[in-house]
Amino acid sequence: MSVGHVAGATDTGRRRRRNEDAYVAQPPLFAVADGVGGAQAGEVASRLAAAAALEESSAGGSAEERVAGLIQEANRRVHRAAAQDSARSGMGTTMTVALVEDGTVAIGHVGDSRAYRLRDGALEQLTEDHSLVGELLRSGNLSPEEARVHPQRNVVTRALGSDPDVDVDTFTVDARPGDVFLLCSDGLSSMLEDEEIQETLEQQRSDLDGAVKTLIRQALRAGGEDNITVVCFEISDAAPGETTERIELERTREQALPPDEDDDTLDELDGISTVRAPEGDTMVVSAEELRAAQAQVQETSRRREREERRGVLAPALLIVLVALIVVLVVWGLTR
Ligand code: MN
């Protein structure tokens, strides 16, 4: 078993001036990084992370240990670069990595980029989004419908660059010949429903290059509000070595686009205005801001709980009140 066809592409989208995404598609290593930060620092962060991944992937240990190690190393480099240059302070990046080895795929993940697996026509999201909306969804405080239009859906609760150490999610999934894995930045997953991604991938299963291009076109048609990056690879039963090797670590184009539209969504919200990076994109970029975002999640959960409790208490109080009145009236009448 080995990696079969591989495809990857990135697009600036229709609203952003620059492409701050980066990706790696070098079997057996695949990665997507979505950077943020003013004055081109987002590009620096995602590229640093991608370069670190490429260099570190041959280190020792199990696939999962290597994935965790390379994301830690990427984090150290981004953090160091941010600390050394004031123009880059506050820069950060998401990172989702897949490393194929011995019939398994080790996944490492920080942020809101995603990994999916298409198996027997069904698309499954493998990673959990480290985002405010993702946490609210998982704790049951938000419905998927509410999540889709949530004004803070861009806020990431974990990213590389903000601290010398980062909490990395790692896990291993099995891989079978015929599986297709897809890594993407939120510029794809926020523009398309999972069902749309599944349908396109399934229809163009035999032409992954075409599938990636179609997905990007669909995300652009849906608004293209962010940089869009898609990396796909197929697990085949061919022996290793027969695969098409491709190395890509670049942005495909720098379009002459109008400046980023001002993203005012966060201004309306009280208490969380600090969770905002320069250049309109939003990401938690420091430990303090991270704590603020987490506090926000807890506060929302607590508020929801209070409301629920109130929802039970109010009718109960009413019943007691009515009963009291009845008793008083009856007492009054019988006197
Ligand atoms: Mn993005």
Side-chain angles (χ1 to χ4, degrees):
M1 190 169 351
S2 66
V3 176
H5 291 106
V6 169
T10 185
D11 193 285
T12 307
R14 297 164 66 141
R15 303 280 287 272
R16 306 269 183 216
R17 199 174 33 210
R18 318 190 63 92
N19 192 340
E20 300 186 317
D21 286 358
Y23 71 92
V24 175
Q26 185 178 345
L29 179 75
F30 304 88
V32 166
D34 177 350
V36 76
Q40 298 171 37
E43 290 165 80
V44 174
S46 62
R47 284 195 165 213
L48 273 175
L54 273 171
E55 276 175 45
E56 297 294 315
S57 61
S58 52
S62 73
E64 214 176 297
E65 283 163 5
R66 271 143 62 206
V67 165
L70 70 86
I71 294 179
Q72 286 293 355
E73 176 58 23
N75 176 61
R76 276 190 292 274
R77 292 192 197 183
V78 176
H79 180 71
R80 207 180 305 134
Q84 280 166 358
D85 182 349
S86 63
R88 291 174 180 171
S89 83
M91 72 176 174
T93 184
T94 72
M95 185 159 220
T96 300
V97 175
L99 183 61
V100 186
E101 190 177 82
D102 303 332
T104 64
V105 179
I107 310 268
H109 165 64
V110 175
D112 67 348
S113 300
R114 289 182 179 176
Y116 290 93
R117 179 180 60 195
L118 180 79
R119 171 174 288 176
D120 303 327
L123 188 76
E124 183 192 353
Q125 186 183 331
L126 302 171
T127 48
E128 285 186 341
D129 296 344
H130 300 144
S131 65
L132 199 62
V133 161
E135 291 191 30
L136 290 172
L137 260 173
R138 284 195 291 281
S139 61
N141 286 300
L142 209 63
S143 71
E145 294 72 40
E146 291 173 308
R148 208 158 297 130
V149 295
H150 199 282
Q152 290 161 265
R153 60 189 178 281
N154 291 328
V155 176
V156 173
T157 49
R158 252 197 256 178
L160 304 197
S162 52
D163 275 305
D165 277 305
V166 67
D167 189 9
V168 182
D169 280 2
T170 58
F171 54 92
T172 301
V173 295
D174 76 307
R176 284 191 223 143
D179 286 350
V180 176
F181 286 79
L182 179 146
L183 308 183
C184 66
S185 62
D186 66 333
L188 183 81
S189 51
S190 64
M191 289 290 110
L192 299 183
E193 303 290 336
D194 283 7
E195 295 75 46
E196 296 174 276
I197 300 175
Q198 173 178 292
E199 200 176 310
T200 301
L201 205 53
E202 179 62 13
Q203 274 169 4
Q204 292 186 269
R205 170 77 199 63
S206 53
D207 172 21
L208 288 187
D209 256 317
V212 164
K213 286 194 186 101
T214 305
L215 285 169
I216 289 182
R217 214 166 30 237
Q218 287 171 326
L220 287 169
R221 217 178 297 137
E225 284 173 22
D226 195 3
N227 307 145
I228 309 153
T229 302
V230 188
V231 172
C232 276
F233 59 94
E234 169 199 44
I235 305 295
S236 87
D237 41 18
E242 294 174 39
T243 56
T244 336
E245 296 257 323
R246 303 215 349 206
I247 302 172
E248 290 187 59
L249 168 55
E250 62 179 278
R251 285 165 194 88
T252 47
R253 54 194 169 109
E254 287 289 339
Q255 290 169 308
L257 279 173
D260 287 2
E261 311 248 325
D262 240 344
D263 181 0
D264 288 329
T265 45
L266 283 182
D267 294 346
E268 309 154 11
L269 296 146
D270 26 343
I272 196 145
S273 53
T274 50
V275 188
R276 177 168 185 174
E279 291 241 308
D281 210 344
T282 47
M283 177 178 284
V284 176
V285 287
S286 75
E288 295 76 56
E289 286 165 343
L290 184 70
R291 275 190 288 276
Q294 280 161 352
Q296 169 94 1
V297 171
Q298 278 160 8
E299 177 51 36
T300 310
S301 312
R302 270 199 296 272
R303 204 182 309 142
R304 182 65 67 112
E305 270 167 35
R306 273 202 300 275
E307 276 160 17
E308 275 165 11
R309 233 176 294 141
R310 218 172 295 147
V312 176
L313 269 178
L317 267 174
L318 200 69
I319 290 166
V320 170
L321 212 67
V322 167
L324 205 70
I325 290 167
V326 168
V327 167
L328 280 174
V329 167
V330 169
W331 180 69
L333 286 177
T334 53
R335 274 184 88 219

